[in-house]
Structure formats: structure tokens, C-alpha cells
Amino acid sequence: MAMSQRMRRFCFQLRLKSTQLFILAGSVVLSLLVSLLCIGFTIRYEVEHEVANVGDVDYWKDAVSAEQKPWYDKGIEELKRALRGHSKLSQPRNVWLLMIQGIDAPALAAARFNGSQHSGYIWDRFPHAARLKNSCSNSSPCDASAVFRALWTGVPLAAAQRVRSNCSAAPGQLLSVLRQAQLAGLRTGFVTNQRLTGATGAALYAEVAQSSWECDGLMPMGAIESGCQDVAQQLISGATGQALNVLLGGGRQMFNSKVPTFAWDPSDELLCHARAGRNLLRDWRNQKLKSKPMPRFELVQHEQELSSINGSSLDYLLGVLANGDLSANSRAPTLQLMLNRTLQVLRRPGVGHLLIVEHHVQPHMVAREQLQLLNATLARLMGQKDLLTMVLLTNGNYLSSSRDVSGETQLVSTLEESLQGPELQLQRRLQQLPSESLLFAQGPKSLLFYGVHDETYLAQALSYALGIDVFGRQL
């Protein structure tokens, strides 16, 4: 009897210890599972938010040889950038677009090498890239103003040409992305090292039937009498031009009939000259003086004037800093100075801005040196978290096309057949077109810029990125 009781007690104790052992084992397993989950979530968080130091993790030791490993280690920085993304919900407050004309993909590749040295550019580290197609070709030529109108309005080339050919049409039929941004309440600026009245400027704030109508000097009297306006006039009196907070570039001889000429700032005989009596720069100043309430503004025409102002205290800044192209003025302000003053004017608490910068690579200068200067300037200015930055690289093609050279009568088949000397040089400048363009993007909504698209995609994607309600509720 006593033996059976001892046996029962032993079995009871054994069952109790087995239960405890089971509970203990279960607890250990559960703890391991929880630890693994925590580690997994921690790694995921660190990768997504770039908390982890990826360079400390020896990913490659079992996968590559010792000769390969240093180069794979070097690739970790690029992998970190590739993992860096921006949410679809994130929207930029400010947008900068730098358009570099005269550089295409082969030219960019050539400019990377300086002897044995390989030059990298800041836009090489941008996470997104795209290619924009050009609707013009050798089989279907067109002039530069038509191309840029398609680029900045988002309207296909043929439709844009039909609208601009109607000189009696009401202005504002095609709203550029610059005008759309203004209507959405953003501050806007345009800076160029060429003329404010060139093809890019014309597409942003003017509508003209001929690309040569940068001023009234090259317009037929019939067109003037019928109510057509040149680019310079529309810049001063048009809604887009009047609302621009910053305009910096060249082209003084398009705005005023009387301009001072110097050895360092000559008059450009190949370009348009304003007709006698014109003084659009005075008209711009008078418009601002008559505005109610009167804004704070400044008109500058020399580098010293630009460097001396405080842009933070201004609502508007107009700088016409050369008679012809700004790049032809040997005393022109640097791009760094122009952008510093521009951003002083544009930056306001709680208000976004759109800045478009145009830089023509000068053929008489080394392209690599110009790109390095642009690269250094852009690198010094970047750093805002809510900034969408884009770099657009295009090359210029001089295409022969059927063209009404006189603006009224004579139709010719090619420029070379009809023109010689300076006039041929002028028309070639007016016929300069962008080829397929490379676009690099970084910042909120930069993921919109990928793959290959028509040139119209740029304006459409920019409108969406800026939150402009063009698309309604379709997206």
C-alpha cells in the first residue's frame, strides 16, 4: 500500500515537471520567435530609413573573390542611394529645373574624362532618370520655338503649331507650366545665360507666329498692324511675364531701341533690334509703380547692381544684363550670383516656388569645364528635403526646313538655298533644336521621371508633381 502511494506521488511529480518543462520549452521557443520578428522589423526599418550603416555589413565575403570585394564594397553607397525612395504621398514644395543645352548623351560621356581622371556629376547620383523624345527629325523639321512650346505646355507639336500660327487668337490659349504654377499660387523665376526673348522664354510666357519675332524689329508691318505682339512685348505686358517674380538674362536690345554698347557688351547684329521709340524696361518699372499695393521691385542692368541688392526684401526682380546673349557679355554676373539673388526673392515662408534655369553650353569653351562649373553651383545650392531637382540635358541640331523667310511671301526649301552669310547664321540660330533629352531627377515625386516619353510628358508630370489640379480626380 505504501509502495503504491509513493508510486502515485512520483508519477504526479513527474507529470508536474513535464508540464513545467513543456511550458519552459514553449517559452523559449516563443521568445526566439519574438526576437527573430523584432530583428526582422528592425532591419527592415533601418534599410527603409537608412539608419543602418550598410558599409559595416560584409555582404560579399562568401560571394565574391578578394579581388572583387573592394569594388563591391565601393558599390554599397550606390546601393544605399538605390534603396532611398520617396513616397507617392510626398509632394515637393519647391521645384528647380536646370536645362543644359548643347550636351547630349555622347557629349556627356566624353566630358566625364579629363585625361586619366573620371569626372562625376551631382546629377549622376539622382535616383531617377528618363529620356524625352523629340518630335522633330530630319524628315519632319520644325523650329526651336515649336519644340519648346510642346515641352513647356504639354501640348503635342502639331497642335501647338496650329495655335501659335493664329496671330489673332486670344492670348493664353496654351498655358505653360510656369503660368500654371502662378495660377496655383507659386512664386516663379526664369534665369538664362542667353536672351530672355529666346525660344525657351517665348515658350514660357509668349505666343508668336514666327520664332524670329523676338522684338518688333523683325516683325512685318502687316503683322504689327493686325495686332500681333513680339516676345519682348508679351513678356512686359502679358499676364505670365507680369507675374514672374524673377527674370534674369540678356536681350536688352529687344526691349529698348537705345542701348549702350561697350567692347565687353556689344550689340548683336545677328539678332533683333527694337524699333525706334521703344523702351519696355521703363514700361515695366512704370507698371510696378502703378500697382496697388505697390510691390517692392528692382530693375538691374549690370553685375554691380545685382550684387548690391538684397533679394529677400523684393517681390520682383528684373535683370536685363546684356544687349544680346548674356554669355556674350564678358562682365556678366556668374550663375552662382544670379541664383543666389533669385532664391532670395523666391523663398517665402509657406509659399512654394518653381525656378527654371537655362544654360547654353558655349561652343568656344571646353564643355567639361562648363559642366564642372554647373555641377559645383548646383551642389552648393541643394539640400532642401522638400525640393524636387531636375537636370535636363539637350543637344542642338541645325535642321534645314521649308520656311517663309520673309514672314510674308517667299517660301524656300532649305536655309542654305536661300540665305548666305550673317542671315544664314541668324536663321541657323533660330532653327536650333533639342535632340532627345536626358532628364535626371531627385526629390519628392522624382519617381515620375523614368523610361522614355514624348516631350509633352515633362510639363504634364511637373503639373502633377506641383499639385496643380489639371488632372482633377483622375489620378
Side-chain angles (χ1 to χ4, degrees):
M1 185 69 178
M3 180 64 72
S4 62
Q5 288 179 349
R6 285 196 297 270
M7 183 61 69
R8 282 197 297 272
R9 281 198 301 271
F10 175 76
C11 291
F12 177 76
Q13 291 173 353
L14 183 62
R15 285 198 301 271
L16 181 61
K17 290 181 179 179
S18 299
T19 303
Q20 292 173 338
L21 185 62
F22 178 77
I23 292 173
L24 180 61
S27 299
V28 171
V29 172
L30 183 60
S31 298
L32 287 173
L33 288 174
V34 171
S35 299
L36 289 173
L37 285 173
C38 290
I39 292 171
F41 284 127
T42 301
I43 292 175
R44 181 180 180 86
Y45 176 86
E46 289 179 342
V47 170
E48 287 185 348
H49 296 81
E50 300 177 5
V51 177
N53 186 355
V54 183
D56 293 339
V57 183
D58 198 355
Y59 286 106
W60 325 111
K61 66 178 181 180
D62 297 322
V64 297
S65 67
E67 290 77 11
Q68 286 177 283
K69 184 179 180 300
W71 304 106
Y72 275 71
D73 288 341
K74 189 176 180 180
I76 283 180
E77 286 303 316
E78 290 195 43
L79 287 172
K80 289 171 67 177
R81 289 197 298 270
L83 292 171
R84 184 184 302 128
H86 296 274
S87 168
K88 280 188 173 183
L89 300 176
S90 179
Q91 183 172 316
R93 177 182 296 275
N94 306 312
V95 175
W96 299 352
L97 192 150
L98 170 61
M99 182 168 67
I100 305 173
Q101 294 202 50
I103 296 291
D104 57 7
L108 179 62
R112 294 187 190 282
F113 292 92
N114 181 14
S116 60
Q117 298 294 320
H118 184 275
S119 299
Y121 300 108
I122 191 170
W123 51 82
D124 294 336
R125 302 196 295 271
F126 288 6
H128 299 102
R131 183 182 287 270
L132 300 179
K133 296 184 290 185
N134 179 9
S135 297
C136 295
S137 67
N138 288 314
S139 60
S140 58
C142 53
D143 65 14
S145 61
V147 177
F148 286 115
R149 186 160 299 281
L151 192 70
W152 296 116
T153 64
V155 176
L157 201 63
Q161 286 179 304
R162 283 198 301 271
V163 172
R164 81 180 191 121
S165 65
N166 184 5
C167 202
S168 61
Q173 286 191 337
L174 296 181
L175 299 181
S176 71
V177 67
L178 202 63
R179 183 56 179 161
Q180 294 177 42
Q182 291 173 349
L183 294 174
L186 277 72
R187 297 172 67 81
T188 52
F190 175 57
V191 177
T192 178
N193 73 332
Q194 297 296 94
R195 310 176 301 283
L196 291 172
T197 55
T200 301
L204 289 171
Y205 38 72
E207 293 177 9
V208 290
Q210 297 292 336
S211 58
S212 60
W213 292 1
E214 294 190 34
C215 75
D216 57 356
L218 288 180
M219 290 181 67
M221 285 304 301
I224 296 175
E225 292 169 356
S226 67
C228 295
Q229 290 188 344
D230 56 276
V231 176
Q233 180 65 61
Q234 292 184 57
L235 172 57
I236 298 302
S237 60
T240 306
Q242 289 184 358
L244 269 163
N245 300 97
V246 179
L247 275 164
L248 294 177
R252 188 184 297 115
Q253 67 190 53
M254 285 78 169
F255 294 91
N256 289 1
S257 58
K258 295 181 180 180
V259 295
T261 59
F262 305 94
W264 44 268
D265 185 18
S267 176
D268 194 328
E269 298 304 322
L270 292 178
L271 296 175
C272 185
H273 286 258
R275 293 179 185 267
R278 166 172 279 201
N279 194 333
L280 291 178
L281 299 183
R282 179 192 58 197
D283 294 345
W284 182 86
R285 181 187 293 274
N286 290 338
Q287 287 175 2
K288 300 304 181 191
L289 289 172
K290 294 177 182 178
S291 299
K292 301 294 182 183
M294 191 177 74
R296 297 166 298 177
F297 66 91
E298 197 71 55
L299 170 63
V300 298
Q301 299 192 54
H302 302 287
E303 188 272 343
Q304 298 91 334
E305 296 174 342
L306 183 64
S307 62
S308 66
I309 65 171
N310 177 14
S312 301
S313 64
L314 299 177
D315 299 307
Y316 299 95
L317 172 62
L318 173 60
V320 187
L321 302 157
N323 289 326
D325 290 332
L326 184 61
S327 56
N329 182 348
S330 60
R331 298 186 185 179
T334 63
L335 180 63
Q336 179 75 38
L337 174 60
M338 291 195 295
L339 292 183
N340 282 338
R341 294 299 180 267
T342 296
L343 293 174
Q344 286 178 356
V345 178
L346 292 181
R347 286 171 174 160
R348 292 293 183 273
V351 182
H353 63 255
L354 169 61
L355 170 61
I356 297 174
V357 180
E358 176 188 44
H359 180 89
H360 283 253
V361 172
Q362 302 306 304
H364 61 277
M365 299 175 62
V366 179
R368 179 176 57 255
E369 295 176 356
Q370 295 180 71
L371 287 176
Q372 289 173 346
L373 179 60
L374 291 169
N375 180 71
T377 300
L378 189 60
R380 283 192 292 266
L381 294 173
M382 291 182 58
Q384 301 178 36
K385 291 183 178 180
D386 56 357
L387 173 66
L388 171 60
T389 307
M390 291 175 288
V391 176
L392 181 67
L393 297 159
T394 75
N395 194 19
N397 296 320
Y398 296 103
L399 301 181
S400 300
S401 64
S402 295
R403 179 180 178 81
D404 185 355
V405 175
S406 69
E408 294 177 330
T409 54
Q410 184 185 6
L411 192 67
V412 299
S413 58
T414 66
L415 297 175
E416 286 76 7
E417 290 177 4
S418 60
L419 303 170
Q420 292 180 350
E423 181 66 15
L424 176 58
Q425 296 178 40
L426 168 61
Q427 295 299 339
R428 279 179 168 171
R429 288 170 72 174
L430 296 174
Q431 293 289 96
Q432 188 174 8
L433 301 175
S435 63
E436 286 197 351
S437 304
L438 297 175
L439 178 64
F440 301 88
Q442 172 181 277
K445 288 291 191 295
S446 64
L447 50 78
L448 294 171
F449 301 98
Y450 73 99
V452 181
H453 302 275
D454 292 333
E455 66 259 89
T456 54
Y457 182 77
L458 176 61
Q460 296 161 2
L462 264 178
S463 296
Y464 176 68
L466 287 167
I468 300 171
D469 195 24
V470 175
F471 301 99
R473 298 185 180 273
Q474 299 179 53
L475 295 173

